[in-house]
Amino acid sequence: MAMRSDSREEDEMTEDSRFVELRKSICNGDWNALKQFFVFDKHPLDTIILSGVDYTALYFAILVGKYKIAEDLIKMMSETDLEKRTASSSGGHTALTLVAYTGRTHVARCIVQKNSKLLTMENVQGDIPVTSACSVGHKEMTQYLYSVTPPDVLLSQHGNHGIDLMIVCMCNKILDICLDLIQRDPKLTAATGKEEGVFSTIFIMSRQPNAFLSGCKLRFWQIWIYRWLKVKLPTASSSEVRIHVTTETSKKRTSKYKRFTLGVFDRLLKLSLMLQNFSGIKQIYDLKLTHLYTHEILRCMCEHLSTLKVEALFNCGVVEAMFEATKQGMVEFVVELLKVIQPLIVPDNERRHVFTIAIQYRQENIFNLLYGINEEWRARFLNRTDRKENNMLHVAGEIAPPSELARISGAALQMQRELQWFKEVERIIPEWCKEYKNGNGKTPYEVFSNSHEKLVKEGEEWMRGTANSFIIVGILIVTIMFAVAFTLPGGNAQDGFPNFLQKKSFMIFIISDAISFFTASTSVLMFLGILTSRFAQEDFLESLPRKLIIGLSTLFISIAAMMVSFSAALLIMLQDRWWAIIPIITMASIPVTIFVWLQFPLLVEIITSTYFTGRLFKRNMKPWL
């Protein structure tokens, strides 16, 4: 008996050593060793070569990235061999699911051609291959697997595969598949995923502000390009798959076409693509295409939601989606929902409606919609109070969330924005609301004063620090320009007049010196006015910003005039020696230019925030509801 057990152990050790060698051969890409093991030694192709996870040679080749060997093994395997799964502890995956995670579309094609049943086989988590590919963001693999997966499997009445795929596609911005799914099965709008706590697709969309233009912070030139670009969605009949899948045949045709294409054309095409990427046009084009897809998906969803009863709307989380979109400032989302489903104009758990939440989270785009509804609807909103007896002005008196305050640079400007919100709400609410006391016995003005005490102190510190920094520069310029006025280039003649008085460059020098001196003096006085201010809450609305605007503007003018004065002095002293004048002026301009470049955006932001509030609140909103 002992001899038999010893022989068995030796056989097992010999077998294990052969599997170790086989795994090494796969890692080294040695196809001859695998051929010897499976063809000549006639081992089954579904032999497990890595115990514990139940990996066959095919699975191990996929794991270590030897896809050529994987394709050769697939060609040798039967349909039954391919249906073998890994151990439950390692996910219970089929070969197609493992390949889906890698994103190797050409290997997936080989498997599907051999056994298409794997397209609908689930792993331990209940995911089919197309969902697995999408969950890791492999767009090309997802599109291919979606194009060959039986459409019936993804219908809502046949399980959760459709809604699971819809959710992961939406999260990973694979929107062509989302659109196709929702057009095939509109019921996916209100469906929820298999996992506990997973929301409906309409709610998932409400958490993606970048999917809409209102949620993207574009610069002015990017907005211009965005509006200029013409983007259209691909059109197809309702029975077709509306996604583009690159086939092997098309790749061959493309490469064959390129062989006959002139080299000059190829270079021009590459140069064009490089310019598009460098200028950001390609990114903006993709962004606009994403927005078009999202808007079309939302339209399809709203069409389905309009057919549901009010109870069904509440059950599928549409109300929560609308409030979430309001918090994110997704005006397109909110408008589409409210246009189709007006019963959704209801309060949340705190009895706060859409426009109150817009004020709470400082979403001006949503708040501006209030100007586009009729007087009857507007009165309903303006006269409401929440569960704590707060009206809209009380809510405006609460401090904004930190994420919204962080969008504005400087505590003083943050305080100014808070005052602008409070004044705008105060302008439109009924008179009784202004002195109305909430559940804590406080008026809106008391709520505002108490909640903004810390921000006022921070704003005062910011203003004082800014004024102190700039006043040093102003005093330095005043001192230099005063001294320069009495130290003229070339000196004075015996009659007391400057030697270069008749030169144009001297007149430019003395005039620019005077401008620099007077504007720097004005700047210093403005900053002194800021330092001696009382820093009351109301002062942050216009008084302090106005002083800062004047101080910064005159300081920039003073710096520019100082550079002109310096350049004119060089012209006088060096005469026509341009080879020396130009380099010196250029080097002298570098520190001044850097100072202006760093501080000028602050001046622009203060001016915009103080005198262009019309960009924030659009009172001439056209009727939309």
Side-chain angles (χ1 to χ4, degrees):
M1 293 292 292
M3 292 179 64
R4 288 181 181 178
S5 62
D6 290 341
S7 62
R8 285 179 184 175
E9 289 178 1
E10 288 177 3
D11 291 340
E12 289 177 0
M13 290 177 63
T14 304
E15 195 72 17
D16 288 342
S17 64
R18 291 196 66 182
F19 290 156
V20 171
E21 292 298 322
L22 190 63
R23 292 197 295 269
K24 288 182 180 179
S25 299
I26 294 173
C27 292
N28 295 327
D30 187 359
W31 172 246
N32 291 327
L34 270 75
K35 196 173 181 180
Q36 175 68 37
F37 185 84
F38 291 113
V39 178
F40 298 111
D41 295 346
K42 297 184 178 180
H43 285 87
L45 287 163
D46 61 349
T47 301
I48 296 173
I49 66 169
L50 186 61
S51 59
V53 290
D54 294 351
Y55 272 21
T56 64
L58 173 61
Y59 298 159
F60 190 78
I62 295 170
L63 177 69
V64 297
K66 299 299 178 180
Y67 302 112
K68 181 63 174 66
I69 288 179
E71 289 186 57
D72 292 335
L73 287 170
I74 291 166
K75 292 174 183 177
M76 295 172 58
M77 297 175 79
S78 64
E79 292 185 11
T80 308
D81 293 336
L82 285 172
E83 291 177 6
K84 191 176 184 67
R85 299 173 183 269
T86 62
S88 299
S89 58
S90 63
H93 302 301
T94 64
L96 185 58
T97 306
L98 287 177
V99 172
Y101 283 124
T102 67
R104 301 288 174 167
T105 311
H106 61 282
V107 183
R109 292 180 193 276
C110 292
I111 296 175
V112 172
Q113 289 171 3
K114 197 82 173 184
N115 188 352
S116 60
K117 294 179 183 177
L118 272 64
L119 290 165
T120 58
M121 292 180 67
E122 303 175 358
N123 58 13
V124 171
Q125 295 176 338
D127 293 333
I128 58 176
V130 64
T131 308
S132 301
C134 188
S135 65
V136 291
H138 292 309
K139 186 173 182 179
E140 184 181 345
M141 175 66 83
T142 305
Q143 290 174 329
Y144 166 69
L145 291 175
Y146 179 73
S147 67
V148 293
T149 301
D152 293 345
V153 176
L154 301 173
L155 296 178
S156 55
Q157 62 263 34
H158 293 157
N160 291 317
H161 295 313
I163 183 61
D164 291 339
L165 179 60
M166 183 84 174
I167 289 172
V168 292
C169 281
M170 194 168 290
C171 293
N172 287 296
K173 297 292 189 299
I174 307 179
L175 300 177
D176 50 353
I177 292 178
C178 283
L179 178 58
D180 190 63
L181 280 168
I182 205 70
Q183 288 177 334
R184 288 179 183 276
D185 188 8
K187 292 181 182 179
L188 293 173
T189 301
T192 55
K194 61 178 180 294
E195 297 181 9
E196 186 178 353
V198 175
F199 299 98
S200 61
T201 52
I202 192 75
F203 187 85
I204 296 296
M205 182 179 284
S206 70
R207 285 188 165 182
Q208 297 188 4
N210 290 334
F212 297 90
L213 179 60
S214 58
C216 299
K217 307 302 179 185
L218 300 178
R219 300 180 182 274
F220 72 94
W221 59 271
Q222 291 175 322
I223 294 174
W224 182 84
I225 294 174
Y226 184 95
R227 292 172 178 171
W228 170 75
L229 287 172
K230 302 295 181 183
V231 183
K232 290 184 179 180
L233 294 178
T235 56
S237 61
S238 59
S239 61
E240 295 178 351
V241 177
R242 299 167 183 80
I243 58 173
H244 172 71
V245 181
T246 305
T247 62
E248 295 296 330
T249 307
S250 64
K251 286 183 178 180
K252 289 177 182 178
R253 287 176 181 172
T254 303
S255 59
K256 188 176 180 180
Y257 172 74
K258 283 187 176 180
R259 284 197 296 269
F260 289 98
T261 304
L262 293 175
V264 176
F265 178 78
D266 285 340
R267 291 191 183 94
L268 289 174
L269 185 61
K270 290 178 182 178
L271 179 61
S272 175
L273 292 173
M274 287 175 59
L275 289 174
Q276 287 182 19
N277 289 325
F278 179 76
S279 62
I281 294 177
K282 180 65 169 60
Q283 289 82 353
I284 297 174
Y285 178 91
D286 293 339
L287 183 67
K288 189 168 185 177
L289 183 62
T290 298
H291 294 166
L292 287 178
Y293 267 117
T294 310
H295 195 273
E296 185 63 20
I297 293 167
L298 179 61
R299 187 191 62 79
C300 294
M301 287 181 171
C302 288
E303 283 184 4
H304 174 69
L305 293 173
S306 64
T307 63
L308 301 180
K309 295 181 180 180
V310 176
E311 288 185 10
L313 291 174
F314 280 90
N315 293 335
C316 68
V318 177
V319 177
E320 289 82 359
M322 185 183 62
F323 288 132
E324 185 66 27
T326 302
K327 295 175 184 178
Q328 302 285 349
M330 300 162 61
V331 63
E332 300 93 341
F333 189 96
V334 174
V335 167
E336 286 295 326
L337 279 184
L338 295 182
K339 277 182 179 178
V340 180
I341 318 154
Q342 293 188 17
L344 285 184
I345 308 180
V346 293
D348 63 358
N349 294 332
E350 295 295 324
R351 287 174 50 190
R352 292 187 173 185
H353 53 74
V354 171
F355 298 108
T356 309
I357 293 174
I359 295 171
Q360 179 183 354
Y361 287 88
R362 303 299 192 263
Q363 298 296 342
E364 60 274 6
N365 290 331
I366 306 294
F367 176 77
N368 289 332
L369 296 176
L370 189 62
Y371 295 113
I373 61 178
N374 58 48
E375 293 295 332
E376 181 183 353
W377 275 100
R378 191 183 305 173
R380 291 185 187 182
F381 293 119
L382 296 178
N383 287 282
R384 283 185 181 178
T385 57
D386 64 12
R387 197 176 296 279
K388 297 179 181 179
E389 292 300 313
N390 291 307
N391 58 39
M392 292 178 74
L393 194 57
H394 282 103
V395 177
E398 298 171 358
I399 194 165
S403 59
E404 295 303 317
L405 286 176
R407 293 165 50 190
I408 306 166
S409 60
L413 296 183
Q414 292 172 358
M415 186 63 197
Q416 182 192 47
R417 181 59 56 85
E418 290 291 278
L419 282 164
Q420 289 169 345
W421 267 99
F422 190 80
K423 294 294 182 182
E424 185 67 18
V425 177
E426 182 186 35
R427 192 185 66 82
I428 62 173
I429 64 167
E431 286 297 323
W432 69 268
C433 293
K434 297 178 181 178
E435 298 297 331
Y436 184 80
K437 293 185 178 182
N438 61 11
N440 296 325
K442 293 182 179 180
T443 64
Y445 302 99
E446 291 172 337
V447 171
F448 184 89
S449 179
N450 294 336
S451 63
H452 288 82
E453 284 182 359
K454 183 179 178 182
L455 189 59
V456 169
K457 291 180 181 178
E458 291 175 354
E460 179 180 350
E461 292 175 2
W462 186 88
M463 273 287 185
R464 287 187 182 277
T466 304
N468 279 323
S469 299
F470 289 126
I471 203 170
I472 294 172
V473 179
I475 291 172
L476 182 63
I477 295 174
V478 168
T479 304
I480 293 172
M481 292 297 102
F482 184 82
V484 166
F486 298 97
T487 312
L488 301 176
N492 296 328
Q494 293 181 355
D495 55 2
F497 289 99
N499 289 323
F500 298 115
L501 183 61
Q502 302 302 320
K503 283 197 170 187
K504 291 182 179 180
S505 55
F506 181 83
M507 294 304 296
I508 294 173
F509 163 78
I510 202 66
I511 292 172
S512 59
D513 179 81
I515 292 173
S516 180
F517 176 79
F518 292 131
T519 51
S521 301
T522 305
S523 176
V524 170
L525 292 174
M526 284 294 106
F527 291 130
L528 282 173
I530 291 174
L531 293 175
T532 56
S533 296
R534 57 176 185 156
F535 291 99
Q537 288 183 348
E538 292 289 334
D539 293 341
F540 286 92
L541 185 61
E542 285 190 11
S543 176
L544 289 171
R546 188 188 303 117
K547 290 176 182 177
L548 190 57
I549 289 170
I550 296 172
L552 281 173
S553 301
T554 51
L555 182 62
F556 287 139
I557 293 171
S558 175
I559 291 172
M562 180 181 67
M563 288 307 304
V564 173
S565 177
F566 177 78
S567 302
L570 284 179
L571 285 172
I572 295 170
M573 301 297 293
L574 299 177
Q575 300 295 331
D576 296 327
R577 296 177 179 85
W578 294 103
W579 59 271
I581 295 173
I582 294 176
I584 294 173
I585 293 176
T586 302
M587 287 187 290
S589 302
I590 291 175
V592 178
T593 304
I594 291 174
F595 177 80
V596 174
W597 179 57
L598 292 175
Q599 303 301 331
F600 188 71
L602 175 64
L603 176 61
V604 173
E605 186 174 358
I606 298 171
I607 293 173
T608 304
S609 179
T610 306
Y611 297 110
F612 294 93
T613 53
R615 297 175 60 184
L616 190 66
F617 303 110
K618 297 178 173 60
R619 299 167 186 170
N620 58 347
M621 175 72 68
K622 295 180 180 179
W624 60 273
L625 185 62

